[in-house]
Amino acid sequence: MKSMPHSELRRRSALLERAQGRIVGIGRIDESSVLDAYRRWAPVYDHTFGLVAREGRRHAVEVLNQREGRVLEVGVGTGLSLPDYEKHLEVVGIDLSPEMLEKARERVAEKDLEHVTGLHEMDASDLKFPDSSFDSVVAMFVMTVVPEPEAVMRELSRVTKPGGEVMLVNHFSQTEGVRGWVERRMAPFADRIGWRSVFDVDRVMVCDDLELVERKALRPFGLFTMMRFAKRDGEAQRTIAAE
């Protein structure tokens, strides 16, 4: 068998993302790659990935509609979810892509969505909101896109009120089967397609003040997973730290 050139070995090694010796992701993404990818996606997003993700998005909003107060949607994109929120909620959205946000603002204006009080261009790993600003924070189809998902999780937790909820809807990779094989083959092209196909769930389990209370596979075909985290109040967090 012909051996792989050293240059190719180095390139593949550079694509691996590790934590405590384990491979937790393949395919590096930087902010410019994200912006370039979503600049290309913006004109067709609603009719491509938006359709694939529709069921997961609707299920997440149905759950959030049972809550009260202020909601932050991180990675609001073209605003596909915004009309589905009940009017008793105050909804704020952020996204890194100005092209996506332009479409979201058009949607808000066309549908007269008065419960949407802000749409901001913002980096999810550096949110410009004070601590404990929101009752619920949701990030749908975001974690495989951002360069530093661990930093984003910490920001989601920071801006959530004690007793509030952080919700993720995301793709997490498989290691076996046809799907796992396809994900590994797609992984080196993460910077071109704008998201990682190989992404380990441990990358979002980084906040001691967030307790996982529900994990559920969503349609279609269980491609996406909903994870709900409850943010512990300050007293509970101090008790855990003392232990």
Side-chain angles (χ1 to χ4, degrees):
M1 179 181 293
K2 186 177 180 180
S3 61
M4 188 177 296
H6 290 299
S7 59
E8 179 64 12
L9 285 171
R10 286 195 299 271
R11 186 187 72 83
R12 293 196 176 189
S13 178
L15 292 172
L16 301 181
E17 296 178 297
R18 300 178 183 270
Q20 298 179 341
R22 294 177 57 248
I23 296 173
V24 295
I26 304 176
R28 295 192 182 277
I29 295 179
D30 57 31
E31 185 175 303
S32 63
S33 298
V34 175
L35 287 169
D36 288 345
Y38 280 88
R39 189 176 297 114
R40 297 191 301 269
W41 277 110
V44 298
Y45 183 90
D46 291 3
H47 306 291
T48 52
F49 186 76
L51 291 177
V52 175
R54 179 170 54 191
E55 291 298 325
R57 185 174 61 248
R58 286 180 174 173
H59 183 84
V61 175
E62 284 176 6
V63 173
L64 290 167
N65 281 339
Q66 299 173 33
R67 296 183 56 81
E68 302 288 339
R70 299 185 76 207
V71 176
L72 173 65
E73 183 173 327
V74 174
V76 69
T78 64
L80 281 171
S81 62
L82 296 178
D84 295 329
Y85 287 99
E86 296 288 351
K87 302 301 184 286
H88 70 277
L89 296 171
E90 177 190 348
V91 181
V92 176
I94 69 123
D95 204 280
L96 189 63
S97 168
E99 290 81 10
M100 292 284 204
L101 282 172
E102 181 180 356
K103 292 187 173 295
R105 292 184 179 115
E106 290 173 357
R107 192 184 307 274
V108 168
E110 289 170 2
K111 296 184 178 294
D112 194 24
L113 302 179
E114 294 183 356
H115 61 297
V116 180
T117 60
L119 292 171
H120 308 285
E121 185 177 336
M122 199 176 296
D123 183 346
S125 66
D126 185 23
L127 298 174
K128 304 303 182 183
F129 302 110
D131 295 357
S132 304
S133 292
F134 297 93
D135 300 279
S136 305
V137 176
V138 58
M140 294 184 273
F141 319 109
V142 167
M143 290 303 180
T144 50
V145 172
V146 294
E148 297 293 339
E150 296 86 354
V152 172
M153 278 302 297
R154 295 185 181 99
E155 280 293 88
L156 303 190
S157 177
R158 180 184 66 79
V159 301
T160 303
K161 295 177 181 178
E165 178 172 321
V166 173
M167 177 189 292
L168 304 180
V169 177
N170 210 78
H171 160 81
F172 298 104
S173 52
Q174 291 186 345
T175 56
E176 306 295 337
V178 174
R179 178 176 146 189
W181 183 88
V182 171
E183 288 169 347
R184 291 190 296 275
R185 294 303 180 274
M186 291 175 61
F189 305 101
D191 59 338
R192 300 181 190 177
I193 61 178
W195 55 278
R196 301 176 184 85
S197 59
V198 174
F199 187 78
D200 194 286
V201 69
D202 285 351
R203 301 199 70 172
V204 303
M205 304 294 290
V206 295
C207 296
D208 292 338
D209 56 353
L210 294 181
E211 177 185 2
L212 180 63
V213 295
E214 183 181 6
R215 178 174 175 174
K216 181 178 181 180
L218 301 178
R219 294 179 294 180
F221 315 118
L223 287 175
F224 304 109
T225 299
M226 181 183 72
M227 301 178 74
R228 298 175 65 189
F229 299 85
K231 183 169 180 180
R232 299 184 177 97
D233 60 32
E235 186 62 37
Q237 184 62 21
R238 284 191 291 272
T239 300
I240 292 170
E243 293 175 352

Coordinates of all heavy atoms in Angstrom, one line a residue, residues 55-142:
E55 N -38.5 21.4 10.9 CA -39.1 20.6 12.0 C -38.4 20.9 13.3 O -39.1 21.1 14.4 CB -39.2 19.1 11.7 CG -40.1 18.8 10.5 CD -41.6 19.1 10.8 OE1 -42.0 19.1 12.0 OE2 -42.3 19.5 9.9
G56 N -37.1 20.9 13.3 CA -36.4 21.1 14.5 C -36.6 22.5 15.0 O -36.7 22.7 16.3
R57 N -36.6 23.5 14.1 CA -36.8 24.9 14.5 C -38.2 25.1 15.1 O -38.4 25.7 16.2 CB -36.7 25.7 13.3 CG -36.8 27.2 13.5 CD -36.4 28.0 12.2 NE -37.4 27.7 11.2 CZ -37.1 27.0 10.1 NH1 -35.9 26.6 9.9 NH2 -38.0 26.8 9.1
R58 N -39.2 24.5 14.5 CA -40.6 24.7 15.0 C -40.8 24.0 16.4 O -41.5 24.5 17.3 CB -41.6 24.1 14.0 CG -41.8 25.0 12.8 CD -42.8 24.4 11.8 NE -43.0 25.3 10.7 CZ -43.7 25.0 9.6 NH1 -44.3 23.8 9.5 NH2 -43.9 25.8 8.6
H59 N -40.2 22.8 16.5 CA -40.3 22.1 17.8 C -39.7 23.0 18.9 O -40.2 23.1 20.0 CB -39.6 20.8 17.8 CG -39.8 20.0 19.0 ND1 -40.9 19.2 19.3 CD2 -39.0 19.9 20.1 CE1 -40.8 18.7 20.5 NE2 -39.6 19.0 21.0
A60 N -38.5 23.5 18.7 CA -37.8 24.4 19.7 C -38.7 25.6 20.1 O -38.8 25.9 21.3 CB -36.5 24.8 19.1
V61 N -39.3 26.2 19.1 CA -40.1 27.4 19.4 C -41.3 27.0 20.2 O -41.8 27.8 21.0 CB -40.4 28.2 18.1 CG1 -41.3 29.4 18.4 CG2 -39.1 28.7 17.5
E62 N -41.9 25.9 19.8 CA -43.1 25.4 20.6 C -42.8 25.3 22.1 O -43.6 25.6 22.9 CB -43.6 24.1 20.0 CG -44.3 24.2 18.7 CD -44.7 22.8 18.2 OE1 -44.4 21.8 18.9 OE2 -45.2 22.8 17.0
V63 N -41.6 24.8 22.4 CA -41.2 24.6 23.8 C -41.0 26.0 24.4 O -41.4 26.3 25.5 CB -39.9 23.8 23.9 CG1 -39.3 23.8 25.3 CG2 -40.1 22.4 23.4
L64 N -40.3 26.9 23.7 CA -40.0 28.2 24.2 C -41.3 29.0 24.4 O -41.4 29.8 25.4 CB -39.1 29.0 23.3 CG -37.7 28.5 23.2 CD1 -36.9 29.1 22.0 CD2 -36.9 28.8 24.5
N65 N -42.3 28.7 23.6 CA -43.6 29.5 23.8 C -44.3 29.1 25.1 O -45.2 29.9 25.5 CB -44.5 29.1 22.6 CG -44.1 29.9 21.3 OD1 -43.5 31.0 21.4 ND2 -44.6 29.4 20.2
Q66 N -43.9 28.1 25.7 CA -44.5 27.8 27.0 C -43.8 28.5 28.2 O -44.2 28.4 29.3 CB -44.3 26.3 27.3 CG -45.0 25.4 26.2 CD -44.8 23.9 26.4 OE1 -44.6 23.4 27.5 NE2 -44.7 23.2 25.3
R67 N -42.8 29.3 27.9 CA -42.1 30.1 28.9 C -42.5 31.5 28.8 O -43.4 31.9 28.0 CB -40.6 30.0 28.7 CG -40.1 28.5 28.9 CD -38.6 28.4 28.7 NE -37.8 29.3 29.6 CZ -37.6 29.1 30.9 NH1 -38.0 27.9 31.4 NH2 -36.9 29.9 31.6
E68 N -41.9 32.3 29.7 CA -42.3 33.8 29.8 C -41.0 34.6 29.7 O -39.9 34.1 29.8 CB -43.0 34.0 31.2 CG -44.2 33.2 31.5 CD -45.4 33.7 30.6 OE1 -45.4 34.8 30.1 OE2 -46.3 32.9 30.5
G69 N -41.2 35.9 29.4 CA -40.1 36.8 29.5 C -39.4 37.1 28.2 O -40.0 37.0 27.1
R70 N -38.1 37.4 28.3 CA -37.3 37.7 27.2 C -36.5 36.5 26.6 O -36.0 35.7 27.4 CB -36.2 38.8 27.6 CG -36.8 40.1 28.1 CD -35.6 41.1 28.3 NE -35.1 41.7 27.1 CZ -33.9 42.1 26.9 NH1 -33.0 42.0 27.9 NH2 -33.5 42.7 25.8
V71 N -36.5 36.4 25.3 CA -35.8 35.3 24.6 C -34.7 35.9 23.7 O -35.0 36.9 23.0 CB -36.8 34.5 23.7 CG1 -36.1 33.4 23.0 CG2 -37.9 33.9 24.6
L72 N -33.6 35.3 23.8 CA -32.5 35.7 22.9 C -32.3 34.5 21.9 O -32.0 33.4 22.4 CB -31.2 35.9 23.6 CG -29.9 36.1 22.7 CD1 -30.1 37.4 21.9 CD2 -28.6 36.2 23.6
E73 N -32.4 34.8 20.6 CA -32.1 33.7 19.6 C -30.8 34.1 19.0 O -30.6 35.1 18.3 CB -33.2 33.7 18.5 CG -32.9 32.5 17.6 CD -34.0 32.3 16.5 OE1 -35.2 32.5 16.9 OE2 -33.6 31.9 15.4
V74 N -29.8 33.2 19.3 CA -28.4 33.4 18.8 C -28.3 32.6 17.4 O -28.7 31.5 17.3 CB -27.4 32.8 19.8 CG1 -26.0 32.8 19.2 CG2 -27.5 33.5 21.1
G75 N -27.8 33.3 16.4 CA -27.8 32.8 15.1 C -29.2 32.8 14.5 O -29.7 31.9 13.9
V76 N -29.8 34.0 14.5 CA -31.2 34.1 14.1 C -31.3 34.0 12.6 O -32.4 33.7 12.0 CB -31.8 35.5 14.5 CG1 -31.2 36.6 13.8 CG2 -33.3 35.5 14.4
G77 N -30.2 34.2 11.8 CA -30.2 34.0 10.4 C -31.2 34.9 9.7 O -31.3 36.1 9.9
T78 N -32.0 34.3 8.8 CA -33.0 35.1 8.0 C -34.3 35.3 8.8 O -35.2 35.8 8.2 CB -33.2 34.4 6.7 OG1 -33.9 33.1 6.9 CG2 -32.0 34.2 5.8
G79 N -34.3 34.9 10.0 CA -35.5 35.1 10.8 C -36.6 34.1 10.6 O -37.8 34.4 10.9
L80 N -36.3 32.9 10.1 CA -37.4 32.0 9.8 C -38.2 31.6 11.0 O -39.4 31.4 10.9 CB -36.8 30.7 9.2 CG -36.3 30.7 7.7 CD1 -35.6 29.5 7.4 CD2 -37.6 30.9 6.8
S81 N -37.6 31.6 12.2 CA -38.4 31.2 13.4 C -39.2 32.3 14.0 O -40.1 32.1 14.8 CB -37.4 30.7 14.4 OG -36.5 31.7 14.8
L82 N -38.9 33.6 13.6 CA -39.5 34.7 14.3 C -41.0 34.8 14.3 O -41.6 35.1 15.3 CB -38.9 36.0 13.8 CG -37.4 36.2 14.0 CD1 -36.9 37.5 13.4 CD2 -37.0 36.1 15.5
P83 N -41.7 34.5 13.2 CA -43.2 34.5 13.2 C -43.8 33.4 14.1 O -45.0 33.6 14.4 CB -43.5 34.2 11.7 CG -42.3 34.6 11.0 CD -41.2 34.2 11.8
D84 N -43.0 32.4 14.5 CA -43.6 31.3 15.3 C -43.6 31.6 16.8 O -44.3 30.9 17.5 CB -42.8 30.0 15.0 CG -42.9 29.6 13.6 OD1 -44.0 29.8 13.0 OD2 -42.0 28.9 13.1
Y85 N -42.9 32.6 17.2 CA -42.9 32.9 18.6 C -44.3 33.6 19.0 O -44.8 34.4 18.3 CB -41.8 33.9 19.0 CG -40.4 33.3 19.0 CD1 -39.6 33.5 17.9 CD2 -39.9 32.6 20.1 CE1 -38.3 32.9 17.9 CE2 -38.7 32.1 20.1 CZ -37.8 32.2 19.0 OH -36.6 31.7 19.0
E86 N -44.8 33.2 20.2 CA -46.0 33.8 20.7 C -45.7 35.2 21.1 O -44.6 35.6 21.5 CB -46.5 33.0 21.9 CG -46.9 31.5 21.5 CD -48.2 31.5 20.7 OE1 -48.9 32.5 20.6 OE2 -48.5 30.4 20.2
K87 N -46.8 36.0 21.0 CA -46.7 37.5 21.2 C -46.4 37.8 22.7 O -46.0 39.0 23.0 CB -47.9 38.2 20.7 CG -48.3 37.9 19.3 CD -47.1 38.3 18.4 CE -47.5 38.2 16.9 NZ -47.4 36.8 16.4
H88 N -46.6 36.9 23.6 CA -46.3 37.3 25.0 C -44.8 37.3 25.3 O -44.4 37.8 26.4 CB -47.0 36.3 26.0 CG -46.4 34.9 26.0 ND1 -46.8 34.0 25.0 CD2 -45.5 34.3 26.8 CE1 -46.1 32.8 25.3 NE2 -45.3 33.0 26.3
L89 N -44.0 36.8 24.4 CA -42.5 36.8 24.6 C -41.9 38.1 23.9 O -42.4 38.5 22.9 CB -41.9 35.6 23.9 CG -42.3 34.2 24.5 CD1 -41.8 33.1 23.7 CD2 -41.8 34.1 26.0
E90 N -40.9 38.6 24.5 CA -40.1 39.6 23.8 C -38.9 38.9 23.3 O -38.1 38.3 24.0 CB -39.6 40.7 24.8 CG -38.7 41.7 24.2 CD -38.1 42.6 25.2 OE1 -38.5 42.6 26.4 OE2 -37.1 43.3 24.8
V91 N -38.7 39.0 21.9 CA -37.6 38.3 21.2 C -36.6 39.2 20.7 O -36.9 40.2 20.0 CB -38.2 37.4 20.1 CG1 -37.1 36.6 19.4 CG2 -39.3 36.5 20.6
V92 N -35.3 38.9 21.0 CA -34.1 39.6 20.5 C -33.3 38.6 19.7 O -33.1 37.4 20.1 CB -33.3 40.2 21.6 CG1 -32.0 40.9 21.0 CG2 -34.1 41.2 22.4
G93 N -32.8 38.9 18.5 CA -32.0 38.0 17.7 C -30.7 38.6 17.4 O -30.5 39.9 17.3
I94 N -29.6 37.8 17.3 CA -28.3 38.2 16.9 C -27.8 37.3 15.8 O -28.2 36.1 15.7 CB -27.3 38.3 18.0 CG1 -26.9 36.9 18.6 CG2 -27.8 39.2 19.1 CD1 -25.5 36.6 18.5
D95 N -26.9 37.8 14.9 CA -26.3 37.0 13.9 C -25.0 37.7 13.5 O -24.9 38.9 13.6 CB -27.2 36.7 12.7 CG -26.8 35.5 11.9 OD1 -25.9 35.5 11.2 OD2 -27.5 34.4 12.2
L96 N -24.0 36.9 13.0 CA -22.8 37.5 12.6 C -22.9 38.0 11.1 O -22.1 38.8 10.7 CB -21.7 36.4 12.7 CG -20.2 36.8 12.4 CD1 -19.8 37.8 13.5 CD2 -19.3 35.6 12.4
S97 N -23.8 37.4 10.4 CA -23.9 37.7 9.0 C -24.9 38.9 8.7 O -26.1 38.8 8.9 CB -24.5 36.5 8.2 OG -24.8 36.8 6.9
P98 N -24.4 40.0 8.2 CA -25.2 41.2 7.8 C -26.2 40.8 6.7 O -27.4 41.3 6.7 CB -24.3 42.3 7.4 CG -23.0 41.6 7.0 CD -22.9 40.3 7.9
E99 N -25.8 39.9 5.8 CA -26.7 39.5 4.7 C -27.9 38.8 5.3 O -29.1 39.0 4.8 CB -26.0 38.7 3.7 CG -25.0 39.5 2.9 CD -23.7 39.6 3.6 OE1 -23.5 39.0 4.6 OE2 -22.8 40.4 3.0
M100 N -27.7 37.9 6.2 CA -28.8 37.1 6.8 C -29.7 38.1 7.6 O -30.9 38.0 7.6 CB -28.2 36.1 7.8 CG -27.5 34.9 7.1 SD -28.7 33.8 6.3 CE -27.7 32.3 6.2
L101 N -29.1 39.0 8.4 CA -29.9 39.9 9.2 C -30.7 40.9 8.4 O -31.9 41.2 8.8 CB -28.9 40.8 10.1 CG -28.4 40.1 11.3 CD1 -27.3 40.9 12.0 CD2 -29.5 39.8 12.3
E102 N -30.3 41.2 7.2 CA -31.1 42.1 6.3 C -32.4 41.4 6.0 O -33.4 42.0 6.0 CB -30.3 42.4 5.0 CG -31.0 43.3 4.1 CD -30.2 43.6 2.8 OE1 -29.0 43.2 2.7 OE2 -30.8 44.3 1.9
K103 N -32.3 40.1 5.7 CA -33.5 39.3 5.4 C -34.4 39.2 6.6 O -35.6 39.2 6.5 CB -33.1 38.0 4.8 CG -32.5 38.1 3.4 CD -32.3 36.7 2.7 CE -31.8 36.9 1.3 NZ -32.8 37.6 0.4
A104 N -33.8 39.0 7.8 CA -34.6 38.9 9.0 C -35.3 40.2 9.3 O -36.5 40.2 9.6 CB -33.7 38.5 10.2
R105 N -34.7 41.3 9.1 CA -35.4 42.6 9.3 C -36.5 42.8 8.3 O -37.5 43.4 8.6 CB -34.3 43.7 9.2 CG -33.3 43.7 10.3 CD -32.3 44.9 10.3 NE -31.4 44.8 11.4 CZ -30.1 44.7 11.3 NH1 -29.5 44.6 10.1 NH2 -29.3 44.6 12.3
E106 N -36.3 42.4 7.0 CA -37.4 42.5 6.1 C -38.6 41.6 6.5 O -39.7 42.0 6.4 CB -36.9 42.0 4.7 CG -35.9 42.9 4.0 CD -35.3 42.4 2.8 OE1 -35.6 41.2 2.4 OE2 -34.4 43.1 2.1
R107 N -38.3 40.4 7.0 CA -39.4 39.6 7.5 C -40.1 40.2 8.6 O -41.4 40.1 8.7 CB -38.8 38.2 7.9 CG -39.8 37.1 8.1 CD -39.2 35.8 8.7 NE -38.0 35.4 7.8 CZ -38.2 34.6 6.7 NH1 -39.4 34.3 6.3 NH2 -37.1 34.3 6.0
V108 N -39.4 40.8 9.6 CA -40.1 41.4 10.7 C -41.0 42.6 10.3 O -42.1 42.7 10.7 CB -39.0 42.0 11.7 CG1 -39.6 42.9 12.8 CG2 -38.3 40.8 12.4
A109 N -40.5 43.4 9.3 CA -41.3 44.5 8.8 C -42.5 44.0 8.0 O -43.6 44.5 8.2 CB -40.4 45.4 7.9
E110 N -42.3 43.0 7.2 CA -43.4 42.5 6.3 C -44.5 41.9 7.2 O -45.7 42.0 6.8 CB -42.9 41.5 5.3 CG -42.0 42.1 4.2 CD -41.3 41.0 3.4 OE1 -41.5 39.8 3.6 OE2 -40.5 41.4 2.5
K111 N -44.1 41.2 8.2 CA -45.1 40.5 9.0 C -45.5 41.2 10.3 O -46.3 40.7 11.1 CB -44.6 39.1 9.4 CG -44.4 38.2 8.2 CD -43.9 36.8 8.6 CE -43.8 35.9 7.4 NZ -45.1 35.6 6.7
D112 N -45.0 42.4 10.4 CA -45.3 43.3 11.6 C -45.2 42.6 12.9 O -46.1 42.5 13.7 CB -46.8 43.8 11.4 CG -47.1 45.0 12.4 OD1 -46.1 45.7 12.8 OD2 -48.3 45.1 12.7
L113 N -44.0 42.0 13.1 CA -43.7 41.2 14.3 C -43.2 42.2 15.4 O -42.0 42.3 15.7 CB -42.6 40.2 14.0 CG -42.9 39.2 12.8 CD1 -41.7 38.3 12.6 CD2 -44.2 38.5 13.1
E114 N -44.2 42.7 16.1 CA -43.9 43.7 17.2 C -43.2 43.1 18.4 O -42.6 43.8 19.2 CB -45.2 44.4 17.6 CG -45.8 45.3 16.5 CD -47.0 46.0 16.9 OE1 -47.5 45.8 18.1 OE2 -47.6 46.8 16.2
H115 N -43.3 41.8 18.6 CA -42.7 41.2 19.7 C -41.2 41.0 19.5 O -40.5 40.6 20.4 CB -43.3 39.8 20.0 CG -43.2 38.8 18.9 ND1 -43.8 39.0 17.6 CD2 -42.6 37.6 18.8 CE1 -43.6 38.0 16.8 NE2 -42.8 37.1 17.5
V116 N -40.7 41.2 18.3 CA -39.3 41.2 18.0 C -38.8 42.6 18.2 O -39.0 43.5 17.4 CB -39.0 40.7 16.6 CG1 -37.5 40.7 16.3 CG2 -39.6 39.3 16.3
T117 N -38.0 42.8 19.3 CA -37.6 44.1 19.7 C -36.2 44.5 19.3 O -35.8 45.6 19.5 CB -37.8 44.3 21.2 OG1 -36.9 43.3 21.9 CG2 -39.2 44.1 21.6
G118 N -35.4 43.5 18.7 CA -34.1 43.9 18.3 C -33.4 42.8 17.5 O -33.6 41.6 17.8
L119 N -32.7 43.2 16.4 CA -31.9 42.3 15.6 C -30.6 42.9 15.5 O -30.5 44.0 14.9 CB -32.6 42.0 14.3 CG -33.9 41.2 14.3 CD1 -34.6 41.3 12.9 CD2 -33.7 39.8 14.7
H120 N -29.5 42.2 16.0 CA -28.2 42.9 16.1 C -27.1 42.0 15.4 O -27.2 40.8 15.5 CB -27.8 43.1 17.6 CG -28.9 43.7 18.4 ND1 -29.1 45.1 18.3 CD2 -29.8 43.3 19.3 CE1 -30.1 45.4 19.1 NE2 -30.5 44.3 19.7
E121 N -26.2 42.7 14.7 CA -25.0 42.0 14.2 C -24.0 41.9 15.4 O -23.6 42.8 15.9 CB -24.4 42.9 13.1 CG -23.2 42.2 12.4 CD -22.7 43.0 11.3 OE1 -23.4 43.8 10.7 OE2 -21.5 42.8 10.9
M122 N -23.7 40.6 15.7 CA -23.0 40.4 16.9 C -22.3 39.0 16.9 O -22.8 38.1 16.3 CB -23.9 40.4 18.1 CG -23.2 40.6 19.5 SD -24.5 40.8 20.8 CE -25.3 42.3 20.4
D123 N -21.1 38.9 17.5 CA -20.4 37.7 17.6 C -20.9 36.9 18.8 O -21.0 37.4 19.9 CB -18.9 38.0 17.8 CG -18.0 36.8 17.9 OD1 -18.5 35.6 18.0 OD2 -16.8 36.9 17.8
A124 N -21.3 35.6 18.6 CA -21.9 34.8 19.6 C -20.9 34.5 20.7 O -21.4 34.2 21.9 CB -22.5 33.5 19.1
S125 N -19.7 34.6 20.5 CA -18.7 34.4 21.5 C -18.3 35.6 22.3 O -17.5 35.6 23.2 CB -17.4 33.7 20.9 OG -16.7 34.7 20.1
D126 N -18.9 36.7 22.0 CA -18.7 38.0 22.6 C -20.0 38.8 22.6 O -20.0 39.9 22.0 CB -17.5 38.7 21.9 CG -17.1 40.0 22.6 OD1 -17.4 40.1 23.9 OD2 -16.6 40.9 22.0
L127 N -21.0 38.3 23.4 CA -22.3 39.0 23.4 C -22.2 40.3 24.1 O -21.6 40.4 25.2 CB -23.3 38.1 24.0 CG -23.6 36.7 23.3 CD1 -24.5 35.9 24.2 CD2 -24.1 37.0 21.9
K128 N -22.8 41.3 23.6 CA -22.8 42.7 24.1 C -24.0 43.0 25.0 O -24.5 44.1 25.1 CB -22.7 43.7 23.0 CG -21.6 43.5 22.0 CD -20.2 43.5 22.7 CE -19.1 43.4 21.7 NZ -17.8 43.3 22.4
F129 N -24.4 42.0 25.8 CA -25.5 42.1 26.7 C -24.9 41.9 28.2 O -24.0 41.2 28.4 CB -26.6 41.1 26.5 CG -27.2 41.1 25.1 CD1 -26.9 40.1 24.2 CD2 -28.0 42.1 24.7 CE1 -27.4 40.1 22.9 CE2 -28.5 42.2 23.4 CZ -28.3 41.1 22.5
P130 N -25.6 42.6 29.1 CA -25.2 42.4 30.5 C -25.5 41.0 31.0 O -26.3 40.2 30.4 CB -26.0 43.4 31.3 CG -26.5 44.4 30.3 CD -26.6 43.6 29.0
D131 N -24.8 40.6 32.1 CA -25.1 39.3 32.7 C -26.6 39.2 33.0 O -27.3 40.2 33.3 CB -24.4 39.1 34.0 CG -22.9 39.1 33.8 OD1 -22.4 39.1 32.6 OD2 -22.1 39.0 34.8
S132 N -27.2 38.0 32.9 CA -28.5 37.7 33.3 C -29.6 38.6 32.6 O -30.5 39.1 33.3 CB -28.7 37.8 34.9 OG -27.7 37.0 35.5
S133 N -29.4 38.7 31.3 CA -30.3 39.6 30.6 C -31.6 38.9 30.1 O -32.6 39.6 29.7 CB -29.6 40.2 29.4 OG -28.6 41.1 29.8
F134 N -31.6 37.6 29.9 CA -32.7 36.9 29.3 C -33.2 35.7 30.1 O -32.4 35.1 30.8 CB -32.2 36.4 27.9 CG -31.8 37.5 27.0 CD1 -30.4 37.9 26.9 CD2 -32.7 38.1 26.2 CE1 -30.1 38.9 26.0 CE2 -32.3 39.1 25.3 CZ -31.0 39.5 25.3
D135 N -34.5 35.5 30.0 CA -35.1 34.3 30.6 C -34.8 33.0 29.9 O -34.7 32.0 30.5 CB -36.6 34.5 30.7 CG -36.9 35.8 31.5 OD1 -36.9 35.7 32.8 OD2 -37.2 36.8 30.9
S136 N -34.7 33.1 28.6 CA -34.4 31.9 27.7 C -33.4 32.4 26.6 O -33.6 33.4 26.1 CB -35.7 31.4 27.1 OG -36.7 31.1 28.0
V137 N -32.5 31.5 26.4 CA -31.5 31.7 25.3 C -31.5 30.5 24.4 O -31.4 29.3 24.9 CB -30.1 32.0 25.8 CG1 -29.1 32.1 24.7 CG2 -30.1 33.3 26.7
V138 N -31.7 30.6 23.1 CA -31.7 29.5 22.2 C -30.7 29.7 21.1 O -30.5 30.8 20.6 CB -33.1 29.3 21.6 CG1 -33.6 30.5 20.9 CG2 -33.2 28.0 20.7
A139 N -30.0 28.6 20.7 CA -29.0 28.6 19.6 C -29.4 27.5 18.7 O -29.1 26.3 19.1 CB -27.6 28.6 20.1
M140 N -30.0 27.7 17.6 CA -30.4 26.6 16.7 C -29.4 26.6 15.5 O -29.2 27.5 14.8 CB -31.8 26.9 16.2 CG -32.9 26.8 17.3 SD -34.6 27.0 16.7 CE -34.8 28.7 16.8
F141 N -28.8 25.4 15.3 CA -27.9 25.1 14.2 C -26.7 26.1 14.2 O -26.3 26.6 13.1 CB -28.7 25.2 12.9 CG -30.1 24.6 13.0 CD1 -31.2 25.3 13.0 CD2 -30.2 23.2 13.1 CE1 -32.5 24.7 13.1 CE2 -31.4 22.6 13.2 CZ -32.6 23.4 13.2
V142 N -26.2 26.4 15.4 CA -25.1 27.4 15.5 C -23.8 26.7 15.9 O -22.8 27.1 15.4 CB -25.5 28.4 16.6 CG1 -24.4 29.2 17.0 CG2 -26.7 29.3 16.1

